[in-house]
Amino acid sequence: MPIINDLKEIITPYVDDKTALENITEDTDFLTDLKINSANLVDIVLDIEEKFGITIDDASMNKMLTVKATIAVIEEKQAENAG
Amino acid sequence: MNAQQILDKLPYSKPFLFVDELLHIDENGAKGTYTYAKELDFYKGHFKDFPVTPGVILTETMAQIGLVCLGIYLLGDHNLQAKATVALTSSTIDFLKPVFPNEKVTVTSEKVYFRFNKLSCNVKMENEAGEIVCKGNIAGMITEKSHEQ
């Protein structure tokens, strides 16, 4: 299953605009497009850690503002785990 | 950092300071007390002729003792010039019993997590009889505000 589908499931509870959620793409920005606040973004990152079995550091967290950047961080951390 | 240093760093003053004593603090939680003096202004209107401490004030008291004091402690001694504060981001509280004027309450918090500057705590407030008057979860984002701002 593509990571984006898992991601969509994780962010669903934090998004009011269900149309924006349905139209999610790699370019979707969590703050401006989905109106997620920074506090909820922390919870999303914690949910991502649990779902993918990875640990996300502060520097990576700061990058995770779009779907594309978030998927890149997840893949990077998974690769580190595998290695 | 000791309790007095934490109290000195709190960004509140009367009439919106709801911490009297900080009894205990460590990296996992905080415990403190506050007594609601009967002269507090909100009792004049909540309610007319029947003063009861508003739920928002109970929530604020739990946030100041349980979340903000703990947040200041967790930020630690680094950057002593900065005043740490917490922007409340969510609260889910159940109110079980009323708190009347002159009651002393004890707030206890337990850290759920402190990640990426977000602090989430389970909190409870007890009255002098040891009964839980309210409890729930409060979270906030910790920011450091310099004196110059």
Side-chain angles (χ1 to χ4, degrees), chain B:
Chain B
M1 204 186 302
N2 65 34
Q4 189 56 49
Q5 288 170 313
I6 292 167
L7 293 177
D8 290 344
K9 279 197 155 204
L10 282 173
Y12 314 102
S13 65
K14 282 185 178 178
F16 219 74
L17 172 67
F18 297 109
V19 187
D20 286 333
E21 308 167 282
L22 195 54
L23 302 174
H24 179 80
I25 191 146
D26 63 30
E27 60 176 22
N28 295 312
K31 185 176 186 177
T33 68
Y34 185 72
T35 301
Y36 296 100
K38 67 178 192 313
E39 295 79 18
L40 283 164
D41 204 48
F42 49 72
Y43 287 130
K44 291 176 196 162
H46 190 281
F47 299 98
K48 285 191 279 184
D49 305 320
F50 181 58
V52 181
T53 314
V56 287
I57 298 295
L58 301 179
T59 303
E60 180 67 25
T61 306
M62 290 196 291
Q64 290 191 8
I65 296 172
L67 196 75
V68 181
C69 287
L70 181 59
I72 291 170
Y73 177 83
L74 292 173
L75 272 185
D77 291 323
H78 80 277
N79 197 354
L80 288 169
Q81 297 303 309
K83 260 201 157 109
T85 189
V86 176
L88 189 68
T89 56
S90 64
S91 66
T92 312
I93 307 294
D94 290 327
F95 300 96
L96 309 172
K97 282 180 170 293
V99 177
F100 298 111
N102 285 334
E103 277 200 51
K104 180 182 181 178
V105 296
T106 302
V107 172
T108 309
S109 71
E110 281 176 16
K111 181 181 73 181
V112 179
Y113 64 78
F114 179 46
R115 294 287 308 275
F116 310 115
N117 280 333
K118 180 174 180 177
L119 177 59
S120 171
C121 288
N122 288 329
V123 291
K124 66 173 178 178
M125 177 185 283
E126 290 162 289
N127 60 22
E128 282 184 285
E131 299 165 320
I132 294 176
V133 295
C134 51
K135 63 184 170 68
N137 180 276
I138 302 182
M141 295 291 285
I142 294 178
T143 57
E144 290 182 61
K145 206 161 72 179
S146 80
H147 287 298
E148 286 76 38
Q149 281 179 325

Side-chain angles (χ1 to χ4, degrees), chain A residues 41-59:
Chain A
L41 202 52
V42 173
D43 287 318
I44 288 171
V45 170
L46 298 182
D47 289 346
I48 288 171
E49 284 190 333
E50 197 178 329
K51 172 85 187 172
F52 295 96
I54 54 177
T55 304
I56 292 164
D57 54 278
D58 283 13

